[in-house]
Amino acid sequence: AAPSRRSGHGCGSGALLGRFGVLLQALLALCSFSILMLKRYKEPKEERRPWKIWFFDTFKQAIGALFIHLANIFLSDLTKEDPCSLYLINFLLDATLGMLLIWLGVKVVSWIVQRKKYTYLIFGEYGDPPQATAWIGQCILYLLIMIFEKTVISLVLLIPGWTKLQQIFPDYNPNPKLELALVTLVVPFIVNAITFWVVDSLIMRKSKQKDTLDINGSIETPQARSTEESQALLSPDVDFDQSESDQNISRLQETNQKMKQPSYQVII
Protein backbone atom coordinates (compact mmCIF):
# COMPACT_ATOMS: atom_id res chain seq x y z
CA ALA A 1 0.00 0.00 0.00
CA ALA A 2 1.13 3.53 -0.66
CA PRO A 3 2.49 5.36 2.35
CA SER A 4 0.00 7.62 4.07
CA ARG A 5 0.41 11.38 3.81
CA ARG A 6 -0.42 13.81 6.53
CA SER A 7 -3.97 15.19 6.42
CA GLY A 8 -4.47 13.31 3.18
CA HIS A 9 -3.05 16.30 1.31
CA GLY A 10 -0.91 16.18 -1.80
CA CYS A 11 -1.11 14.10 -4.94
CA GLY A 12 -0.74 10.35 -4.56
CA SER A 13 2.11 8.14 -5.68
CA GLY A 14 2.04 7.68 -9.45
CA ALA A 15 -0.22 10.70 -10.01
CA LEU A 16 2.31 12.27 -12.38
CA LEU A 17 2.02 9.25 -14.68
CA GLY A 18 -1.75 8.85 -14.28
CA ARG A 19 -4.24 9.66 -17.04
CA PHE A 20 -4.91 13.19 -15.78
CA GLY A 21 -1.22 13.86 -15.20
CA VAL A 22 -0.20 12.68 -18.69
CA LEU A 23 -2.98 14.81 -20.23
CA LEU A 24 -1.68 17.89 -18.44
CA GLN A 25 1.89 17.18 -19.52
CA ALA A 26 0.81 16.75 -23.15
CA LEU A 27 -0.98 20.10 -22.96
CA LEU A 28 2.16 21.64 -21.49
CA ALA A 29 4.25 20.29 -24.38
CA LEU A 30 1.80 21.79 -26.89
CA CYS A 31 1.86 25.18 -25.17
CA SER A 32 5.67 25.18 -24.98
CA PHE A 33 5.86 24.27 -28.68
CA SER A 34 3.59 27.23 -29.44
CA ILE A 35 5.99 29.54 -27.55
CA LEU A 36 8.86 28.49 -29.83
CA MET A 37 6.70 29.04 -32.92
CA LEU A 38 5.84 32.52 -31.65
CA LYS A 39 9.53 33.23 -31.13
CA ARG A 40 10.28 32.30 -34.75
CA TYR A 41 7.62 34.74 -36.04
CA LYS A 42 9.02 37.48 -33.80
CA GLU A 43 12.41 37.20 -35.53
CA PRO A 44 13.19 39.85 -38.18
CA LYS A 45 12.14 38.66 -41.64
CA GLU A 46 15.65 38.95 -43.04
CA GLU A 47 17.01 36.78 -40.20
CA ARG A 48 14.07 34.39 -39.76
CA ARG A 49 15.16 30.75 -39.74
CA PRO A 50 13.86 28.41 -42.45
CA TRP A 51 11.47 25.77 -41.17
CA LYS A 52 14.09 23.02 -41.39
CA ILE A 53 16.64 24.99 -39.37
CA TRP A 54 13.95 25.96 -36.85
CA PHE A 55 12.94 22.29 -36.52
CA PHE A 56 16.55 21.27 -35.90
CA ASP A 57 16.91 23.92 -33.16
CA THR A 58 13.52 23.18 -31.59
CA PHE A 59 13.80 19.40 -31.60
CA LYS A 60 17.25 19.66 -30.07
CA GLN A 61 15.81 21.60 -27.15
CA ALA A 62 12.81 19.25 -26.97
CA ILE A 63 15.12 16.27 -26.45
CA GLY A 64 16.86 18.03 -23.57
CA ALA A 65 13.57 19.15 -22.00
CA LEU A 66 12.15 15.63 -22.27
CA PHE A 67 15.19 14.19 -20.53
CA ILE A 68 14.88 16.70 -17.66
CA HIS A 69 11.13 16.05 -17.38
CA LEU A 70 11.52 12.26 -17.17
CA ALA A 71 14.36 12.63 -14.67
CA ASN A 72 12.19 14.86 -12.48
CA ILE A 73 9.33 12.35 -12.55
CA PHE A 74 11.69 9.52 -11.63
CA LEU A 75 13.21 11.49 -8.74
CA SER A 76 9.75 12.58 -7.51
CA ASP A 77 8.54 9.00 -7.13
CA LEU A 78 11.50 8.17 -4.88
CA THR A 79 10.08 10.22 -2.01
CA LYS A 80 7.67 9.11 0.72
CA GLU A 81 6.19 12.58 0.80
CA ASP A 82 4.08 14.40 -1.78
CA PRO A 83 5.69 13.69 -5.21
CA CYS A 84 4.12 16.78 -6.79
CA SER A 85 5.90 19.13 -4.41
CA LEU A 86 9.25 17.43 -5.04
CA TYR A 87 8.63 17.66 -8.79
CA LEU A 88 7.94 21.38 -8.40
CA ILE A 89 11.15 21.89 -6.39
CA ASN A 90 13.14 20.05 -9.09
CA PHE A 91 11.50 22.10 -11.81
CA LEU A 92 12.16 25.44 -10.13
CA LEU A 93 15.79 24.51 -9.49
CA ASP A 94 16.14 23.56 -13.17
CA ALA A 95 14.67 26.92 -14.19
CA THR A 96 17.01 28.95 -11.94
CA LEU A 97 20.30 27.30 -11.05
CA GLY A 98 19.87 24.91 -13.97
CA MET A 99 19.59 27.78 -16.46
CA LEU A 100 22.92 29.13 -15.25
CA LEU A 101 24.50 25.70 -15.66
CA ILE A 102 23.04 25.32 -19.17
CA TRP A 103 24.34 28.76 -20.17
CA LEU A 104 27.78 27.87 -18.81
CA GLY A 105 27.74 24.49 -20.56
CA VAL A 106 26.77 25.98 -23.92
CA LYS A 107 29.49 28.64 -23.66
CA VAL A 108 32.19 26.11 -22.74
CA VAL A 109 31.18 23.63 -25.46
CA SER A 110 30.95 26.40 -28.08
CA TRP A 111 34.42 27.64 -27.14
CA ILE A 112 35.89 24.14 -27.43
CA VAL A 113 34.36 23.30 -30.82
CA GLN A 114 35.35 26.68 -32.27
CA ARG A 115 38.89 26.28 -30.98
CA LYS A 116 39.07 22.78 -32.50
CA LYS A 117 37.38 24.12 -35.68
CA TYR A 118 34.61 21.52 -35.58
CA THR A 119 32.38 23.76 -37.68
CA TYR A 120 29.34 21.50 -37.82
CA LEU A 121 29.28 21.15 -34.02
CA ILE A 122 28.75 24.88 -33.53
CA PHE A 123 25.22 25.23 -32.15
CA GLY A 124 22.84 26.33 -34.90
CA GLU A 125 25.25 25.62 -37.79
CA TYR A 126 24.17 22.64 -39.88
CA GLY A 127 25.95 23.29 -43.17
CA ASP A 128 24.62 24.33 -46.55
CA PRO A 129 22.45 22.44 -47.28
CA PRO A 130 21.63 21.48 -43.65
CA GLN A 131 23.06 18.09 -42.72
CA ALA A 132 21.32 15.67 -40.34
CA THR A 133 24.70 14.45 -39.09
CA ALA A 134 25.54 17.94 -37.83
CA TRP A 135 22.17 18.10 -36.05
CA ILE A 136 22.72 14.68 -34.42
CA GLY A 137 26.17 15.72 -33.19
CA GLN A 138 24.77 18.92 -31.67
CA CYS A 139 21.92 16.97 -30.06
CA ILE A 140 24.45 14.69 -28.36
CA LEU A 141 26.42 17.69 -27.08
CA TYR A 142 23.28 19.39 -25.79
CA LEU A 143 22.09 16.18 -24.12
CA LEU A 144 25.46 15.89 -22.34
CA ILE A 145 24.96 19.43 -21.06
CA MET A 146 21.51 18.41 -19.76
CA ILE A 147 22.99 15.37 -18.00
CA PHE A 148 25.59 17.61 -16.35
CA GLU A 149 22.90 20.09 -15.28
CA LYS A 150 20.58 17.42 -13.83
CA THR A 151 23.46 15.74 -11.96
CA VAL A 152 24.37 19.00 -10.24
CA ILE A 153 20.70 19.71 -9.36
CA SER A 154 20.32 16.20 -7.91
CA LEU A 155 23.38 16.79 -5.72
CA VAL A 156 21.92 20.10 -4.54
CA LEU A 157 18.75 18.29 -3.47
CA LEU A 158 20.83 16.13 -1.12
CA ILE A 159 21.47 19.22 1.01
CA PRO A 160 19.45 18.92 4.29
CA GLY A 161 16.42 21.19 4.50
CA TRP A 162 14.61 20.43 1.24
CA THR A 163 12.27 17.97 2.99
CA LYS A 164 10.86 20.74 5.19
CA LEU A 165 10.27 22.95 2.16
CA GLN A 166 8.57 20.05 0.41
CA GLN A 167 6.08 19.60 3.28
CA ILE A 168 4.84 23.20 3.05
CA PHE A 169 3.24 23.07 -0.40
CA PRO A 170 0.43 20.51 0.22
CA ASP A 171 -1.00 22.59 3.09
CA TYR A 172 -1.90 25.33 0.63
CA ASN A 173 -3.38 22.93 -1.94
CA PRO A 174 -5.80 20.50 -0.29
CA ASN A 175 -7.15 19.38 -3.68
CA PRO A 176 -4.76 16.79 -5.24
CA LYS A 177 -5.92 17.52 -8.81
CA LEU A 178 -5.47 21.24 -8.31
CA GLU A 179 -1.96 20.63 -7.03
CA LEU A 180 -1.21 18.36 -9.99
CA ALA A 181 -2.46 21.01 -12.42
CA LEU A 182 -0.34 23.70 -10.77
CA VAL A 183 2.91 21.72 -10.75
CA THR A 184 2.59 20.11 -14.21
CA LEU A 185 0.87 22.83 -16.25
CA VAL A 186 0.41 26.31 -14.78
CA VAL A 187 3.80 26.93 -13.17
CA PRO A 188 5.83 25.02 -15.84
CA PHE A 189 4.12 26.92 -18.66
CA ILE A 190 4.97 30.31 -17.16
CA VAL A 191 8.55 29.29 -16.47
CA ASN A 192 9.01 27.46 -19.80
CA ALA A 193 7.84 30.53 -21.71
CA ILE A 194 10.96 32.25 -20.37
CA THR A 195 13.47 29.39 -20.32
CA PHE A 196 12.61 28.05 -23.79
CA TRP A 197 12.96 31.56 -25.24
CA VAL A 198 16.35 32.06 -23.57
CA VAL A 199 17.74 28.60 -24.40
CA ASP A 200 16.59 28.88 -28.03
CA SER A 201 18.50 32.14 -28.31
CA LEU A 202 21.60 30.40 -26.93
CA ILE A 203 21.60 27.44 -29.33
CA MET A 204 20.30 29.09 -32.51
CA ARG A 205 22.51 30.46 -35.27
CA LYS A 206 23.47 34.03 -34.49
CA SER A 207 23.09 36.63 -37.24
CA LYS A 208 26.68 37.79 -36.69
CA GLN A 209 27.90 34.26 -37.43
CA LYS A 210 26.34 34.39 -40.88
CA ASP A 211 29.02 36.87 -41.93
CA THR A 212 31.89 34.77 -40.57
CA LEU A 213 31.01 31.43 -42.15
CA ASP A 214 31.43 30.79 -45.85
CA ILE A 215 29.46 28.23 -47.88
CA ASN A 216 32.12 25.59 -47.32
CA GLY A 217 31.71 25.83 -43.56
CA SER A 218 35.15 27.31 -42.87
CA ILE A 219 35.42 30.18 -40.44
CA GLU A 220 36.45 33.54 -41.88
CA THR A 221 37.07 36.39 -39.48
CA PRO A 222 36.16 40.00 -40.32
CA GLN A 223 39.85 40.95 -40.10
CA ALA A 224 40.79 38.41 -42.76
CA ARG A 225 38.00 39.58 -45.02
CA SER A 226 39.11 43.20 -44.60
CA THR A 227 42.70 42.25 -45.46
CA GLU A 228 41.57 40.53 -48.65
CA GLU A 229 39.55 43.59 -49.68
CA SER A 230 42.55 45.88 -49.06
CA GLN A 231 44.82 43.67 -51.14
CA ALA A 232 42.29 43.69 -53.96
CA LEU A 233 42.05 47.49 -53.89
CA LEU A 234 45.83 47.94 -53.84
CA SER A 235 46.45 45.45 -56.63
CA PRO A 236 48.06 47.27 -59.62
CA ASP A 237 46.27 45.28 -62.33
CA VAL A 238 42.67 45.58 -61.21
CA ASP A 239 41.37 48.53 -63.19
CA PHE A 240 44.25 49.55 -65.44
CA ASP A 241 45.38 48.29 -68.80
CA GLN A 242 49.01 47.18 -68.63
CA SER A 243 50.07 48.72 -71.98
CA GLU A 244 48.44 52.05 -71.19
CA SER A 245 50.14 52.09 -67.81
CA ASP A 246 53.58 51.46 -69.39
CA GLN A 247 53.05 54.33 -71.87
CA ASN A 248 52.16 56.74 -69.09
CA ILE A 249 55.29 55.76 -67.13
CA SER A 250 57.56 56.28 -70.16
CA ARG A 251 56.04 59.73 -70.81
CA LEU A 252 56.68 60.73 -67.23
CA GLN A 253 60.31 59.61 -67.51
CA GLU A 254 60.83 61.67 -70.68
CA THR A 255 59.30 64.71 -69.03
CA ASN A 256 61.61 64.37 -66.04
CA GLN A 257 64.69 64.11 -68.27
CA LYS A 258 63.72 67.29 -70.15
CA MET A 259 63.25 69.13 -66.89
CA LYS A 260 66.72 68.08 -65.71
CA GLN A 261 68.38 69.56 -68.85
CA PRO A 262 69.84 73.13 -68.38
CA SER A 263 67.71 75.95 -69.66
CA TYR A 264 70.60 78.22 -70.81
CA GLN A 265 72.87 78.19 -73.89
CA VAL A 266 76.62 79.02 -74.11
CA ILE A 267 77.47 81.53 -76.92
CA ILE A 268 81.01 81.44 -78.33
Side-chain angles (χ1 to χ4, degrees):
S4 59
R5 291 174 172 78
R6 52 194 176 83
S7 304
H9 292 175
C11 63
S13 177
L16 293 171
L17 295 177
R19 182 178 300 178
F20 184 63
V22 172
L23 177 62
L24 291 175
Q25 294 167 47
L27 184 59
L28 173 65
L30 180 62
C31 294
S32 301
F33 182 78
S34 301
I35 289 295
L36 291 174
M37 289 191 66
L38 175 63
K39 183 178 184 299
R40 179 185 179 274
Y41 282 109
K42 297 293 286 184
E43 296 172 359
K45 289 185 178 181
E46 63 274 9
E47 299 178 5
R48 186 173 297 168
R49 291 167 288 178
W51 281 109
K52 189 173 184 178
I53 300 297
W54 176 85
F55 174 80
F56 280 173
D57 289 341
T58 302
F59 200 76
K60 181 166 49 185
Q61 188 174 177
I63 292 175
L66 179 62
F67 167 77
I68 296 296
H69 177 70
L70 294 177
N72 287 343
I73 291 179
F74 173 77
L75 293 173
S76 300
D77 281 338
L78 296 179
T79 181
K80 294 180 180 180
E81 300 293 334
D82 176 28
C84 288
S85 60
L86 184 56
Y87 177 88
L88 181 62
I89 292 174
N90 270 281
F91 181 82
L92 293 178
L93 282 175
D94 289 327
T96 51
L97 176 60
M99 275 297 302
L100 178 61
L101 295 173
I102 292 172
W103 175 83
L104 180 62
V106 170
K107 291 297 183 181
V108 170
V109 169
S110 298
W111 179 81
I112 292 174
V113 297
Q114 289 185 10
R115 185 176 179 85
K116 298 294 184 179
K117 297 183 179 180
Y118 299 146
T119 308
Y120 289 144
L121 290 181
I122 298 175
F123 286 122
E125 296 292 340
Y126 307 105
D128 187 14
Q131 302 293 324
T133 53
W135 170 74
I136 293 174
Q138 293 177 33
C139 283
I140 294 174
L141 288 179
Y142 187 70
L143 187 58
L144 290 176
I145 294 174
M146 295 296 102
I147 294 174
F148 163 74
E149 182 267 345
K150 196 64 222 176
T151 301
V152 175
I153 296 298
S154 300
L155 293 176
V156 171
L157 284 173
L158 296 178
I159 300 175
W162 290 109
T163 304
K164 295 181 179 179
L165 180 62
Q166 180 187 348
Q167 293 174 351
I168 297 175
F169 188 70
D171 288 338
Y172 295 95
N173 298 278
N175 189 332
K177 287 191 175 181
L178 175 61
E179 180 185 358
L180 187 60
L182 286 174
V183 302
T184 59
L185 179 61
V186 179
V187 176
F189 172 71
I190 296 174
V191 177
N192 281 344
I194 301 174
T195 57
F196 277 26
W197 199 289
V198 173
V199 173
D200 186 64
S201 299
L202 284 175
I203 63 178
M204 68 179 289
R205 178 179 182 176
K206 306 298 187 297
S207 58
K208 63 182 180 181
Q209 289 179 346
K210 296 178 183 178
D211 297 331
T212 60
L213 295 173
D214 60 14
I215 59 175
N216 295 324
S218 60
I219 300 178
E220 180 185 4
T221 61
Q223 291 84 357
R225 186 169 61 252
S226 176
T227 302
E228 292 180 358
E229 292 175 354
S230 300
Q231 290 177 352
L233 291 174
L234 295 176
S235 178
D237 56 347
V238 174
D239 296 321
F240 299 96
D241 182 77
Q242 184 65 34
S243 59
E244 182 179 354
S245 178
D246 293 342
Q247 292 177 0
N248 292 335
I249 292 174
S250 61
R251 291 174 182 173
L252 288 174
Q253 291 176 348
E254 292 177 357
T255 304
N256 289 336
Q257 290 178 356
K258 291 179 179 180
M259 292 177 65
K260 291 179 180 179
Q261 292 178 358
S263 57
Y264 57 90
Q265 294 181 352
V266 177
I267 302 175
I268 301 177

